[in-house]
Amino acid sequence: MAWFNWGKSKDKKKEKEQIIQEQEEFQADVEQESEWGQQESELDKEDQPEYELEQDMTEPEQVSPSQSELETFNAGSEESESEISEDEAVEEELPKQKKPNLFDRLKSGLKKTRDSITDKIDQVLVSFGKVDEDLFEELEEALITSDMGMETSLSIISELREKVKKEKITSTSGVKQAIMDIIASKLEDEDSGLKLNTKPSVIVIIGVNGVGKTTSIGKIAYYLKEQGKKVTVAAADTFRAAAIDQLEIWAKRAGVGIIKHTEGADPSAVIYDAVQHCKSKGIDVLICDTAGRLHTKKNLMEELKKIFRVIQRELPDADIETLLVLDATTGQNAVSQAKTFSEVSQLTGLVLTKLDGTAKGGIIVSIKSELNVPVKFIGVGEQMYDLQPFNPHLFVKALFDN
């Protein structure tokens, strides 16, 4: 028993000696690291400029943890408020930014159509060294395949033959200029501008769904407001889901008022309330949205007739513009739509949208030539100012300007 206790005490003594040794080694390591740290600190101080040494010698202000956290939070709040105010300032400045040149926008928007029509005509003209009947036939084919339409293309080439013979044109460049003049003459119309002389005047927008009616209304409203006119829009398309909400968004963007009822309400009742509002508030122009659904042609005709009856009864002497909105990307189908709607009401003008997204811009010549309805606006982009009043000569210049 005594031997066991002696062995146990011996083991404890060894453990104690080992612990003391480890502590001494650890303390030596700590002292060595401290010496290294002090040397590095002295080296850093030598490298620093004098003014930094002076700053280091000043004791920092003692701040409680809670106060420091609070200041950090407040600083973050001030920074976010600054960012918000800057964003708001940018938004306020956006409307004041200089608008791009309208011709440049038109030229850019007609790029696909220009690549389609002008390139084909240029290829034909380059391949022919002289002006003869073969040249006319090739130009005729180029126009037909560019969505000018069969009748319109034949008419243009027929006039070209006469012009070349009469003016004795012998160069291909002269032929190209002659084509430009003929197309421009076909697009010209004395009534290309809006007739809005009465107060209030009325613009009725018609067209099938998906052609850009709502967007066009917002852009026309913006265009008229920029001219200093007071504008109100009437949400008379109560048939299509979300049509009223979409029109309200565009009215806010354009900065004009809107008269609306609930979905499914009588469209003519909306028009009646809008007319009364315009008369009482001294509004210059009322723009009326209407439902577009060719699949219920009879209902559409009756609804439109009722709307026009309300307008003519309440504003018997008012100027009324009936604008048909057409999607340029549909090509020759747009001509069919125009013929159908011309049976519904007496069209006073066309709005051709999405010209920037199609190579079928030649359809504008076909529609004007076949229906003799003036084009009043063309859409060449998504911005508010990208719906432009139609100018035949600028259109043709942008179309053939390479």
Side-chain angles (χ1 to χ4, degrees):
M1 189 70 178
W3 176 84
F4 177 77
N5 290 336
W6 175 82
K8 189 173 181 181
S9 62
K10 188 177 181 180
D11 291 339
K12 285 184 179 181
K13 186 177 181 181
K14 285 183 179 181
E15 275 183 28
K16 188 174 181 180
E17 290 176 353
Q18 187 175 358
I19 290 172
I20 292 170
Q21 184 179 359
E22 289 177 355
Q23 287 178 347
E24 290 176 351
E25 290 176 355
F26 176 77
Q27 186 65 27
D29 292 339
V30 170
E31 290 176 357
Q32 187 175 7
E33 288 179 1
S34 176
E35 290 178 2
W36 289 346
Q38 188 174 0
Q39 291 175 1
E40 290 177 357
S41 176
E42 291 176 355
L43 289 173
D44 291 341
K45 287 181 180 180
E46 290 177 0
D47 294 336
Q48 289 178 354
E50 294 181 0
Y51 71 88
E52 289 186 358
L53 289 173
E54 292 177 358
Q55 290 177 352
D56 291 338
M57 292 174 65
T58 59
E59 294 184 1
E61 182 181 354
Q62 297 295 326
V63 182
S64 62
S66 59
Q67 184 180 355
S68 176
E69 292 173 2
L70 181 59
E71 289 179 357
T72 303
F73 174 78
N74 291 336
S77 300
E78 290 174 1
E79 183 179 355
S80 62
E81 287 176 3
S82 175
E83 291 175 356
I84 291 172
S85 62
E86 289 176 0
D87 291 340
E88 290 175 350
V90 169
E91 291 178 359
E92 290 176 358
E93 291 175 1
L94 282 176
K96 299 179 183 179
Q97 289 179 354
K98 185 178 179 180
K99 296 177 183 177
N101 183 277
L102 290 181
F103 178 74
D104 292 339
R105 291 295 304 163
L106 178 62
K107 185 178 177 181
S108 174
L110 292 176
K111 183 181 183 304
K112 292 184 179 180
T113 299
R114 183 169 56 254
D115 292 344
S116 173
I117 297 177
T118 309
D119 286 358
K120 289 179 181 178
I121 292 176
D122 287 343
Q123 288 174 8
V124 172
L125 293 175
V126 168
S127 61
F128 281 82
K130 61 180 180 177
V131 180
D132 56 13
E133 188 59 31
D134 291 338
L135 173 63
F136 293 139
E137 290 180 0
E138 289 294 325
L139 288 173
E140 185 178 282
E141 182 178 346
L143 293 176
I144 292 173
T145 56
S146 300
D147 270 276
M148 287 279 189
M150 177 69 76
E151 294 182 12
T152 305
S153 299
L154 293 175
S155 176
I156 291 173
I157 297 302
S158 177
E159 291 184 33
L160 179 63
R161 285 191 180 96
E162 295 179 5
K163 192 175 182 68
V164 167
K165 184 178 180 181
K166 182 179 179 180
E167 299 180 8
K168 297 180 180 180
I169 299 173
T170 57
S171 65
T172 54
S173 61
V175 172
K176 183 176 180 179
Q177 183 61 49
I179 293 174
M180 292 172 61
D181 295 339
I182 292 170
I183 293 176
S185 66
K186 286 187 173 296
L187 292 173
E188 283 181 349
D189 197 292
E190 295 179 357
D191 299 324
S192 59
L194 294 175
K195 185 182 178 183
L196 304 171
N197 298 323
T198 62
K199 186 174 181 177
S201 298
V202 182
I203 301 175
V204 180
I205 305 293
I206 61 178
V208 301
N209 290 330
V211 296
K213 282 201 287 71
T214 306
T215 304
S216 297
I217 290 172
K219 293 179 179 180
I220 292 173
Y222 175 78
Y223 167 76
L224 293 173
K225 186 189 174 188
E226 287 290 290
Q227 292 185 330
K229 294 185 179 293
K230 295 180 180 179
V231 183
T232 294
V233 298
D237 183 1
T238 58
F239 178 79
R240 182 172 62 90
I244 299 173
D245 295 336
Q246 290 175 2
L247 186 62
E248 189 171 13
I249 291 172
W250 275 101
K252 288 180 180 178
R253 288 178 182 174
V256 300
I258 181 171
I259 302 299
K260 61 179 183 176
H261 286 191
T262 58
E263 186 177 325
D266 184 3
S268 58
V270 179
I271 298 299
Y272 176 83
D273 287 349
V275 169
Q276 301 309 315
H277 170 80
C278 292
K279 289 163 71 175
S280 63
K281 300 295 183 180
I283 301 299
D284 296 312
V285 183
L286 171 63
I287 306 178
C288 305
D289 188 16
T290 61
R293 47 187 196 279
L294 280 178
H295 60 281
T296 53
K297 182 179 176 182
K298 184 177 179 180
N299 292 338
L300 173 64
M301 291 174 64
E302 293 302 320
E303 184 179 284
L304 282 176
K305 288 178 181 178
K306 189 176 179 181
I307 287 175
F308 282 113
R309 283 199 301 268
V310 171
I311 295 172
Q312 291 166 355
R313 184 187 70 216
E314 299 300 321
L315 299 170
D317 300 322
D319 289 334
I320 302 175
E321 289 274 1
T322 306
L323 304 183
L324 172 63
V325 181
L326 296 172
D327 182 350
T329 62
T330 60
Q332 287 295 318
N333 188 39
V335 180
S336 301
Q337 291 179 25
K339 289 180 179 178
T340 303
F341 275 98
S342 63
E343 299 172 0
V344 177
S345 60
Q346 186 176 357
L347 300 178
T348 61
L350 303 174
V351 179
L352 204 62
T353 64
K354 307 178 185 179
L355 276 171
D356 58 315
T358 181
K360 300 178 180 180
I363 192 63
I364 193 172
V365 185
S366 179
I367 293 173
K368 174 62 177 66
S369 179
E370 293 185 28
L371 299 178
N372 197 29
V373 178
V375 179
K376 302 214 171 184
F377 287 95
I378 54 173
V380 291
E382 298 179 356
Q383 301 301 321
M384 276 289 193
Y385 44 76
D386 285 333
L387 188 71
Q388 302 181 11
F390 181 66
N391 184 313
H393 294 283
L394 283 182
F395 178 84
V396 174
K397 183 180 178 182
L399 191 61
F400 285 88
D401 189 354
N402 292 327

